[in-house]
Amino acid sequence: MMDQAEALRKKLASMNDDNHPKTIAVISGKGGVGKSNLSLNFSIALSNYGKKVLLFDMDIGMGNIDILMGITAHHTIADLFEDNLTINDIIIKGTEGIDYIAGGNGLPNLFKLDDKKTEYLIDQLQLVLNEYDFVLFDMGAGMTEENVKFLMAMDEIFVITTPEPTSITDAYSAIKYICLFDQSIPMYLVVNRAENESDGLQTLKRLRQAVLQFLVKEVKILGVLLDDRTVQRAVSHQKPFLLYAPKAGISKNLLEICNKYLEKNNEQKLIRNQHISFISKLQRFFVRGR
Ligand SMILES: Nc1ncnc2c1ncn2[C@@H]1O[C@H](COP(=O)(O)OP(=O)(O)O)[C@@H](O)[C@H]1O
Ligand SMILES: [Mg+2]
């Protein structure tokens, strides 16, 4: 199991330099916590900051990103497997500043992302990865073995929860399940629909502490998104809330989280580069020394 998972990640990370796009899966334990809205609006936020983004609706058969954007997708991810199309045929270009692959709706339970499909998908992804800075995957609710195997190929996982105890325990269970497969994959926590910033932060800190104590896994806090009726209104108008109400609290809130994330991301890059330059200096030193 681990061998295959590692092979997948290596495949995706084979261009592991600064041009290597970051792959992020957005997950939750419980459904309905705001995963799709976050995936979509976070992608648009990244694009606002000048990043090239591909958003993948992995809620295959029950996808709704196209509904949230108010567009009709002519191709979906299922076509990649059934109609022998290539990934370039199914990418919807430039909608709201991001590229997008639809999950398709009306096919609940019919689609299963088995090993063969996962491998094919990752092969196809490799063809376009270089064109992007970030590739986000809005994963379906719940954790299946197939989903987790796919997650193993990601650079990072965003775990979304609401402040409700049922949502938090499900998020914890999802993290626990992933850790059974891979303890080292970087994870970020987001609480959505918090009543206020400090309550939300409390929720995240408690979850982080439980994960550290019982799973011996360090997770980072990405941010708190408040409960805001703007989201419902934007959904009804089939527009991402960042575009529907750019000045609303929730939009500023999300842009701030995205900005902080990018700062952290840059810091990590800097550290990695320093590390690389340290190694190359060391190599030069030894070569000269010989
Ligand atoms: N921050 C928020 N404030 C208020 N309502 C929200 C917020 N985030 C999500 N919602 C509500 O929850 C619903 C489900 O969100 P969605 O992103 O589709 O969840 P998921 O993808 O996790 O199933 C939205 O249609 C909206 O009504
Ligand atoms: Mg969803």
Side-chain angles (χ1 to χ4, degrees):
M1 182 74 71
M2 265 312 292
D3 285 353
Q4 196 202 16
E6 270 181 36
L8 282 180
R9 183 147 31 167
K10 279 196 190 123
K11 246 184 180 180
L12 276 187
S14 56
M15 304 157 279
N16 206 353
D17 52 40
D18 270 356
N19 296 323
H20 169 56
K22 192 148 258 185
T23 50
I24 304 170
V26 183
I27 69 153
S28 66
K30 207 169 178 279
V33 298
K35 223 177 329 84
S36 298
N37 275 283
L38 184 99
S39 306
L40 172 60
N41 288 282
F42 196 82
S43 298
I44 296 172
L46 285 169
S47 143
N48 279 359
Y49 287 117
K51 304 295 175 193
K52 190 94 175 65
V53 185
L54 175 64
L55 172 61
F56 226 107
D57 192 344
M58 287 295 289
D59 202 351
I60 302 167
M62 295 205 280
N64 50 21
I65 299 261
D66 41 355
I67 299 167
L68 294 178
M69 287 203 284
I71 59 164
T72 310
H74 295 294
H75 286 299
T76 75
I77 181 166
D79 299 333
L80 195 60
F81 306 105
E82 283 158 19
D83 294 345
N84 285 329
L85 298 177
T86 70
I87 193 154
N88 279 305
D89 299 320
I90 62 166
I91 291 178
I92 299 165
K93 291 264 176 195
T95 326
E96 320 289 14
I98 55 169
D99 288 354
Y100 159 68
I101 294 179
N105 15 56
L107 301 161
N109 302 324
L110 287 180
F111 192 90
K112 213 170 171 198
L113 195 66
D114 57 25
D115 286 356
K116 225 176 106 199
K117 286 196 181 102
T118 302
E119 209 162 305
Y120 181 65
L121 180 59
I122 289 181
D123 278 344
Q124 286 287 310
L125 260 174
Q126 271 192 302
L127 300 176
V128 295
L129 273 185
N130 266 340
E131 295 168 31
Y132 299 98
D133 301 309
F134 290 92
V135 184
L136 266 83
F137 298 85
D138 174 16
M139 303 301 293
M143 280 290 143
T144 62
E145 198 176 318
E146 288 84 17
N147 272 358
V148 175
K149 278 192 202 163
F150 184 78
L151 294 182
M152 296 299 108
M154 298 289 115
D155 291 321
E156 290 171 354
I157 299 176
F158 289 1
V159 184
I160 320 298
T161 181
T162 68
E164 285 185 335
T166 44
S167 173
I168 299 167
T169 48
D170 284 1
Y172 175 84
S173 303
I175 295 170
K176 185 174 174 184
Y177 191 45
I178 294 166
C179 284
L180 288 177
F181 289 76
D182 183 352
Q183 187 88 7
S184 68
I185 192 156
M187 291 192 209
Y188 287 85
L189 304 180
V190 180
V191 69
N192 185 29
R193 311 196 69 167
E195 257 181 55
N196 57 59
E197 179 80 24
S198 77
D199 275 10
L201 213 51
Q202 273 305 313
T203 300
L204 289 179
K205 283 184 177 163
R206 265 193 304 236
L207 178 55
R208 183 178 60 180
Q209 184 56 28
V211 171
L212 184 64
Q213 193 170 340
F214 301 113
L215 306 176
V216 200
K217 159 89 185 155
E218 279 189 43
V219 290
K220 296 189 186 93
I221 287 178
L222 186 63
V224 176
L225 276 168
L226 300 185
D227 191 79
D228 190 329
R229 279 196 53 87
T230 310
V231 179
Q232 279 108 311
R233 277 190 224 117
V235 172
S236 303
H237 283 83
Q238 290 189 263
K239 259 197 143 200
F241 62 74
L242 265 185
L243 303 172
Y244 175 74
K247 298 235 157 65
I250 186 93
S251 300
K252 289 186 189 153
N253 197 187
L254 186 75
L255 283 170
E256 225 169 83
I257 289 176
C258 183
N259 192 25
K260 257 199 245 153
Y261 169 77
L262 284 173
E263 276 171 9
K264 263 191 211 160
N265 205 48
N266 279 340
E267 272 168 32
Q268 281 166 2
K269 254 191 196 167
L270 223 62
I271 292 168
R272 213 171 43 232
N273 284 346
Q274 277 166 357
H275 181 66
I276 292 167
S277 83
F278 171 71
I279 290 180
S280 60
K281 271 186 217 154
L282 208 62
Q283 277 169 340
R284 254 182 277 144
F285 177 78
F286 278 108
V287 171
R288 247 186 252 137
R290 254 192 272 162

